[in-house]
Amino acid sequence: MTTATVTKFPEKSPYQPDTAEGILRAYEAFVAEIDDQPQWLADLRKSSLKEFKRRGIPTPRLEGWKFTNIWPLVKAYGDKIGQIKVSHDNVDGVIITPLLQMLDQDWVKAALSEDMPPGQHNTENTLWHLGNIYLRNGIVIDVPANTEIKKSLELLTSAGEGAFFTDRMVIRLQKNARLTIVEDHWGKGAFWKNRLTHIVLEPGAKLTHIRIQDDSDKSVYTQTTNVHVGRDAVYDAVVLCSGAALSRNQVRVTLDDTCASCHLNSATLLRGEQLGDTTILVEHRAPHCQSNQNIRTVLDGRAHGVFQGKVHVHQPAQKTDGFQMSRALLLSEGSEMDTKPELEIYADDVKCSHGATTGQLDQEPLFYMQSRGIEEKTAKALLIQAFVAEVFENIEDEGLKTALERKVEAWLKL
Amino acid sequence: MVQIKNLHASIAGKEILKGLTLDIPDGQVHAIMGPNGSGKSTLSYVIAGREGYEVTGGEILLDGQNIMAMAPEERAAAGLFLAFQYPVEIPGVAMTMFMKTAINGIRKQRGEGEIDALDFLKLMKKKQAELGMSDEMMKRAVNVGFSGGEKKRNEVLQMAMLEPRMAVLDETDSGLDIDALKVVADGVNKLRSDKRSFLVITHYQRLLDYIKPDVVHVMAAGKIVKTGGPELALELEKTGYAEYAA
Ligand SMILES: Nc1ncnc2c1ncn2[C@@H]1O[C@H](COP(=O)(O)OP(=O)(O)OP(=O)(O)O)[C@@H](O)[C@H]1O
Ligand SMILES: [Mg+2]
């Protein structure tokens, strides 16, 4: 029997169980509609329900949520559970199946049952429980061994107005398979979307995972991605996040075997009252693995950026190469950036570095450009584009890279 | 063409320019020489419209129009150009992109359409060749990884591309080897015309062998203290600035 882990927590609780009630108002009606599910899933749902009721929505009293207060923005979404629709073209060689048809597969079952991210990162994730409670929508993407998919798989996620949506993506690249996924989010109106993604990269596989989140600035976007990277496999992620009133991007990458690597590149562009939170945990569990985090945040208006990144090097992970860099650009007085970089190292032969900077646009290049006849607004835009561009450097597909750069340009013109 | 009248400017509460007056007619080359810290670069920045300077008196006229209230880009569109003493590196912005944006920025302000992409490339190639700069350098980010001399050449390249009415060259000769000095001076001389003026700031008479000035000024402690012909530069080479000490 699979159940979610039940953890004990101290007397003086940082949780707010009372919030659960509101969010769960739609639960009875929701389960009544579910007629056919394997016992293990029913159990998982039930134990997640129990956990969620004990903890509720994460509060800023939790270490991993201290900069991001989601309750005020999500409390309105308890009454209606919507359905997420993911549309995509068919790409030869990629097997895409609705999640509910894959529940008898052991690997899918294992993926759904794994808590993410775990409590030890102190990013206590009751959003995962919430995903389990309302688990119904989702797709499974599988690429057979030794298949290199040239065409990128584009996934457009749409959600209607005024509801809470949650779905699961379970992705597996078998040995030496290669795939590029482009995840597009541009929902309109007010909603709360909570996506959970589980990715398994078998030895030698490489996934390029591009995520463009431009949901309406009335929406809430929370997503948790849990990635397992096998021997010699590569997880290459590029995020461009400019949407939602509040977004929380949680990523845990576990480098499970020798020479696994990940590159987590992210650009977050925010203005107005937006909040964008990127919280990453990279776990080095094997020797000779490499991880790289490059985070760029551009903040205007009264926007608030958050980056929490941790590299956890376990004792066997000798010869680890871990890098983490967060750079934020404040374009206005009212904007704000919080960063919390962390290294936790238990191996002795490792190369790890991290850094975080928050600053404003340099005046010198600005004046230099203006003195050449470039208008101030254009000069600023060029500098901001240059600041962000590094995040896209790894993308091999020139068309995709240009498309992302164009999106940054478009954001700057707003 | 350019008239600077009794200009007073301070930075951080400290007065640097103390009543500077200068008149540069169309087609002339004026040189300014003067000790370190006398305010030559400050003058060039105030002409170009850099922020942070408080102009407490006087004015600068370009073709009779007061430019003091204009933004730097507006001054560029009006025909001003400054070759920086210390050219600025702009990581992530490629030279060609930068140059094209500059040309179009100026054209837009003048109410002209954008430059044809092919015309732009042709123009760029031509000017590059004249200044001995490779295509590879133009693909790099502005001034990033350029040697000191290459940066100065790049200033002259930009000037040649933008074809200003009035160019201020702030120590464009410093850091250049003898061959580069000739290339840069040729670049400037090619642009000389009866419609264009130059203000050449330098510490060395040698540059003035190549770019023959019409007038030489000595600047000390924020003012023009002496004005003469080309022979003044030769004289300074021998005597130094001792007699102008503030
Ligand atoms: N930001 C600043 N704050 C305070 N003082 C400044 C500032 N910038 C320049 N100054 C001072 O103004 C004076 C004039 O400087 P400027 O750079 O104009 O001299 P210069 O004549 O160009 O010298 P050089 O021949 O060395 O290039 C110097 O004393 C310098 O220290
Ligand atoms: Mg100077």
Side-chain angles (χ1 to χ4, degrees):
Chain A
M1 189 183 88
T2 316
T3 51
T5 357
V6 176
T7 344
K8 284 218 168 78
F9 39 74
E11 287 292 301
K12 213 175 156 209
S13 172
Y15 300 105
Q16 42 186 41
D18 52 317
T19 60
E21 203 182 308
I23 297 297
L24 294 173
R25 268 201 297 274
Y27 181 67
E28 291 307 326
F30 174 84
V31 279
E33 265 179 40
I34 294 189
D35 41 12
D36 182 29
Q37 63 179 331
Q39 190 56 42
W40 68 266
L41 181 56
D43 292 340
L44 181 67
R45 225 187 271 286
K46 223 182 276 164
S47 71
S48 273
L49 186 66
K50 191 169 162 201
E51 278 302 289
F52 188 73
K53 280 183 171 164
R54 276 158 42 104
R55 301 169 195 226
I57 295 293
T59 77
R61 268 177 290 161
L62 287 161
E63 181 60 23
W65 287 85
K66 67 177 174 192
F67 304 118
T68 301
N69 189 10
I70 65 170
W71 175 242
L73 283 119
V74 301
K75 64 180 171 195
Y77 295 110
D79 296 313
K80 197 170 152 199
I81 306 304
Q83 303 237 24
I84 290 190
K85 211 170 143 267
V86 177
S87 34
H88 57 85
D89 287 340
N90 279 324
V91 173
D92 277 351
V94 184
I95 304 159
I96 305 175
T97 324
L99 180 67
L100 294 184
Q101 291 172 25
M102 294 290 279
L103 297 177
D104 57 343
Q105 303 281 311
D106 282 342
W107 72 276
V108 173
K109 181 174 155 184
L112 291 182
S113 307
E114 189 181 317
D115 194 353
M116 56 180 171
Q120 54 136 314
H121 183 223
N122 59 39
T123 59
E124 194 75 49
N125 193 14
T126 52
L127 300 179
W128 178 73
H129 291 297
L130 200 51
N132 288 344
I133 294 168
Y134 289 123
L135 194 145
R136 174 172 57 191
N137 295 144
I139 56 172
V140 176
I141 297 170
D142 196 13
V143 184
N146 303 313
T147 319
E148 180 174 353
I149 310 292
K150 287 261 179 359
K151 188 170 181 254
S152 55
L153 172 64
E154 295 193 25
L155 303 171
L156 172 64
T157 303
S158 51
E161 277 219 50
F164 169 72
F165 301 86
T166 186
D167 76 341
R168 279 292 179 121
M169 298 220 301
V170 181
I171 299 166
R172 176 172 69 172
L173 267 59
Q174 298 184 41
K175 276 186 189 153
N176 301 319
R178 277 170 178 252
L179 177 67
T180 298
I181 290 179
V182 181
E183 228 186 277
D184 242 323
H185 300 261
W186 38 275
K188 302 235 183 313
F191 55 85
W192 174 17
K193 181 158 64 185
N194 181 47
R195 164 163 289 174
L196 307 177
T197 307
H198 194 102
I199 298 171
V200 180
L201 303 180
E202 291 189 356
K206 180 178 176 186
L207 176 66
T208 304
H209 189 180
I210 295 169
R211 195 179 259 147
I212 304 161
Q213 191 274 108
D214 191 17
D215 281 326
S216 102
D217 60 7
K218 292 185 197 72
S219 67
V220 177
Y221 170 87
T222 52
Q223 76 83 14
T224 308
T225 300
N226 189 23
V227 191
H228 283 281
V229 189
R231 193 185 190 97
D232 297 314
V234 181
Y235 179 63
D236 238 335
V238 178
V239 174
L240 175 58
C241 168
S242 59
L246 182 151
S247 61
R248 165 95 168 185
N249 284 286
Q250 311 188 103
V251 180
R252 176 177 66 156
V253 179
T254 310
L255 303 168
D256 283 314
D257 206 343
T258 318
C259 296
S261 65
C262 70
H263 307 277
L264 308 174
N265 295 307
S266 152
T268 303
L269 316 173
L270 305 172
R271 56 163 60 95
E273 302 281 324
Q274 287 180 295
L275 182 147
D277 175 333
T278 299
T279 295
I280 293 174
L281 167 64
V282 176
E283 291 198 64
H284 282 260
R285 291 190 172 271
H288 295 284
C289 289
Q290 196 215 350
S291 73
N292 210 312
Q293 300 171 46
N294 244 313
I295 311 299
R296 298 284 180 277
T297 311
V298 179
L299 301 167
D300 203 351
R302 293 172 36 80
H304 183 180
V306 177
F307 172 64
Q308 310 184 93
K310 179 166 169 179
V311 180
H312 181 170
V313 182
H314 294 258
Q315 199 272 327
Q318 301 298 347
K319 305 285 180 196
T320 283
D321 182 350
F323 173 83
Q324 183 193 75
M325 184 70 197
S326 158
R327 291 177 62 201
L329 195 54
L330 305 182
L331 301 177
S332 62
E333 295 246 322
S335 57
E336 181 189 352
M337 180 75 196
D338 285 304
T339 32
K340 195 177 76 179
E342 283 178 281
L343 290 175
E344 194 174 326
I345 301 174
Y346 298 100
D348 44 34
D349 185 10
V350 302
K351 199 177 91 194
C352 277
S353 64
H354 67 172
T357 63
T358 299
Q360 287 147 7
L361 277 179
D362 281 344
Q363 289 304 307
E364 289 228 343
L366 211 53
F367 169 62
Y368 189 71
M369 289 203 254
Q370 285 179 268
S371 79
R372 277 16 179 183
I374 302 175
E375 286 170 280
E376 188 179 359
K377 193 174 154 75
T378 312
K380 281 186 177 168
L382 278 178
L383 290 178
I384 295 166
Q385 273 172 276
F387 173 82
V388 170
E390 209 185 311
V391 165
F392 309 135
E393 245 166 36
N394 272 349
I395 302 175
E396 285 161 19
D397 184 328
E398 286 297 326
L400 267 177
K401 194 195 247 175
T402 313
L404 285 164
E405 285 165 355
R406 290 266 185 286
K407 284 193 189 294
V408 174
E409 252 179 82
W411 184 86
L412 288 166
K413 288 212 175 94
L414 286 180
Chain B
M1 131 175 299
V2 171
Q3 288 163 295
I4 301 173
K5 294 181 183 165
N6 193 27
L7 190 64
H8 289 260
S10 32
I11 185 153
K14 182 173 144 199
E15 184 165 62
I16 310 290
L17 302 181
K18 302 172 181 169
L20 186 138
T21 296
L22 202 58
D23 195 343
I24 309 173
D26 272 348
Q28 289 201 356
V29 174
H30 285 216
I32 289 188
M33 303 181 84
N36 294 132
S38 55
K40 303 182 298 297
S41 294
T42 303
L43 171 64
S44 72
Y45 287 142
V46 173
I47 294 174
R50 186 178 185 153
E51 262 183 47
Y53 296 92
E54 198 194 347
V55 176
T56 51
E59 57 182 9
I60 303 174
L61 306 179
L62 180 64
D63 295 323
Q65 187 197 358
N66 188 338
I67 63 166
M68 299 315 285
M70 287 161 73
E73 60 267 35
E74 292 170 337
R75 299 184 193 199
L80 269 177
F81 181 88
L82 168 62
F84 284 55
Q85 181 174 3
Y86 304 108
V88 179
E89 298 186 3
I90 313 178
V93 179
M95 251 322 281
T96 29
M97 164 72 162
F98 168 74
M99 213 57 253
K100 199 168 163 184
T101 312
I103 288 183
N104 284 331
I106 287 178
R107 292 174 75 113
K108 186 180 163 198
Q109 293 183 71
R110 290 178 182 164
E112 298 163 12
E114 291 203 348
I115 187 169
D116 174 78
L118 210 63
D119 290 348
F120 169 78
L121 286 177
K122 273 191 205 148
L123 183 68
M124 187 94 176
K125 276 255 189 287
K126 178 166 171 271
K127 305 290 182 183
Q128 249 174 268
E130 285 171 8
L131 287 155
M133 297 178 73
S134 66
D135 287 352
E136 184 272 326
M137 281 176 81
M138 297 302 109
K139 288 200 182 101
R140 279 196 236 158
V142 180
N143 291 323
V144 175
F146 286 30
S147 75
E150 287 167 346
K151 284 181 182 165
K152 295 303 176 80
R153 264 182 221 226
N154 195 19
E155 293 295 288
V156 179
L157 171 74
Q158 292 171 43
M159 176 173 74
M161 293 289 291
L162 299 178
E163 302 186 323
R165 283 267 287 134
M166 163 77 205
V168 180
L169 307 180
D170 191 359
E171 295 197 28
T172 305
D173 54 333
S174 59
L176 291 179
D177 64 41
I178 297 161
D179 296 331
L181 183 66
K182 282 184 194 152
V183 172
V184 162
D186 280 348
V188 173
N189 287 329
K190 270 207 187 86
L191 289 171
R192 285 183 78 157
S193 83
D194 52 8
K195 283 267 154 257
R196 186 173 286 131
S197 326
F198 292 86
L199 182 61
V200 179
I201 298 169
T202 182
H203 286 293
Y204 306 104
Q205 143 66 23
R206 200 182 50 195
L207 176 71
L208 305 180
D209 286 341
Y210 296 106
I211 305 172
K212 296 264 183 319
D214 299 292
V215 180
V216 175
H217 305 276
V218 179
M219 180 166 175
K223 273 190 213 169
I224 301 297
V225 291
K226 189 166 186 180
T227 296
E231 72 290 344
L232 183 54
L234 287 163
E235 206 176 289
L236 286 169
E237 193 91 335
K238 293 200 195 82
T239 59
Y241 298 110
E243 68 171 287
Y244 307 104

